[in-house]
Amino acid sequence: MPTPIPFHFDFSSPYGYLGSEKIEALATRHGRTVEWHPMLLGIVFKTTGSQPLTSVPIKGDYAKRDMERSARFHGVAFRLPSKFPIATQAPARIVLWQREHDAAGVGRLVHALYRAYFVHDRDIGDPEIAADVAGEAGLDRAAARAAVDDPVVKDALRREVEAAIAKGVFGSPFVFVDGEPFWGIDHFDQVDRWLAQGGF
Amino acid sequence: MPTPIPFHFDFSSPYGYLGSEKIEALATRHGRTVEWHPMLLGIVFKTTGSQPLTSVPIKGDYAKRDMERSARFHGVAFRLPSKFPIATQAPARIVLWQREHDAAGVGRLVHALYRAYFVHDRDIGDPEIAADVAGEAGLDRAAARAAVDDPVVKDALRREVEAAIAKGVFGSPFVFVDGEPFWGIDHFDQVDRWLAQGGF
């Protein structure tokens, strides 16, 4: 079995969303699967001293333009949500809870949540809305809603974020190919060549 | 005459160096020329609250690995200099001075200075070494050395940096295609398509 590709992302990250729409086709082309790892970038930003791109002077205006342009470049539907950025504990916890029950279905859930936010402008940071989206994606809505407040799931997310930071994840999207780290959808061309050649 | 492509760069920027090795072929493919604009990123970083990539916790280790990997990916010789980052007033001033005298020769000078630093580990932040490299590239060494301390050239660099910031330049490399801004060698695929299609 070839090693799966861990895909680390924050539900509030536009480039994470764009990456989520491209990573499966990229992995499949090389006989790989994707492992979905929700991340809380706010915690990393405290360590790296970063802040959300759109809040940075000068860079912020460019970032908004680039997000929309990059979406068109990659052929992905995108609208910068009216509330941005958001706290993403709720959707991240639902994803972790789902991963325990149906690992194969996680990709579909991630897409549903990401598209709800970045295409349909629904505030998935709100536990009720995140649970609605999970329900529409075929999950048990009540169970998904309960997972958001479940101490076991909360703890699982805490450990998931710690593990990601320990691996060196500091942005979104962030993937590993056989241990080699790549940050950003901009590096998917390097990911592609790394997968094809086993390094370069 | 098609509009030239302004290429903004800091001589201390590894990705600026990689971009400088690729931009002319890219521009030429679309019948364009390159306009070289040296930049002092330190001044921008004060505004954006950024710092050199390699100094950022967690991100710094990734950055070093990525610089070397990106150089291999793009087929460009690269070695992280033993002194990094450096202040780049000296090479930037020599480039501005040269641009006044021989605009067509500026590309050759930029390449000579960048390669001296990122291939041959010569500290081009030192005015004597920057002048040496300029001399080896065919310029009048003494005149190049004098330019570094020339108040007129100093003032020209100050205005150059202010003008770049006013245009929204906050990183290196940074290019414009008919006014559309692109940051990073990672976006050269978007630059390529923008040039081919006149936007997307």
Side-chain angles (χ1 to χ4, degrees), chain A residues 38 92-93 95-97 99-100 147 150-163:
Chain A
R93 285 178 193 149
V95 164
L96 285 192
W97 167 79
R99 215 171 61 186
E100 288 303 301
D150 183 338
V152 175
V153 180
K154 285 183 177 182
D155 195 53
L157 178 57
R158 211 170 292 123
R159 280 181 285 114
E160 177 89 4
V161 172
E162 278 167 16

Side-chain angles (χ1 to χ4, degrees), chain B residues 2-105:
Chain B
T3 318
I5 297 176
F7 179 88
H8 298 265
F9 64 98
D10 187 312
F11 272 115
S12 193
S13 159
Y15 298 107
Y17 159 64
L18 297 183
S20 75
E21 295 283 341
K22 309 302 275 189
I23 190 65
E24 285 164 314
L26 175 51
T28 304
R29 220 162 41 238
H30 299 282
R32 304 282 188 120
T33 55
V34 174
E35 230 179 53
W36 303 93
H37 292 277
M39 179 72 198
L40 301 177
L41 272 187
I43 292 171
V44 181
F45 284 0
K46 277 181 205 159
T47 309
T48 57
S50 304
Q51 42 178 330
L53 263 180
T54 49
S55 318
V56 181
I58 311 178
K59 229 167 169 168
D61 289 339
Y62 175 83
K64 284 177 203 157
R65 176 196 285 252
D66 184 59
M67 287 165 189
E68 288 169 357
R69 186 179 61 203
S70 293
R72 296 195 302 274
F73 183 74
H74 291 290
V76 175
F78 174 84
R79 186 168 54 164
L80 191 64
S82 42
K83 187 174 168 193
F84 177 84
I86 53 169
T88 52
Q89 277 83 353
R93 285 178 193 149
I94 294 176
V95 164
L96 286 192
W97 167 77
Q98 162 81 346
R99 213 170 62 185
E100 288 303 302
H101 295 79
D102 171 23

Side-chain angles (χ1 to χ4, degrees), chain A residues 101-137:
Chain A
H101 295 79
D102 171 23
V106 169
R108 204 162 58 106
L109 175 62
V110 170
H111 292 313
L113 287 161
Y114 249 149
R115 289 170 192 165
Y117 185 50
F118 282 112
V119 181
H120 304 294
D121 197 14
R122 294 168 72 183
D123 177 8
I124 58 168
D126 179 330
E128 299 302 334
I129 295 173
D132 285 348
V133 175
E136 294 157 22

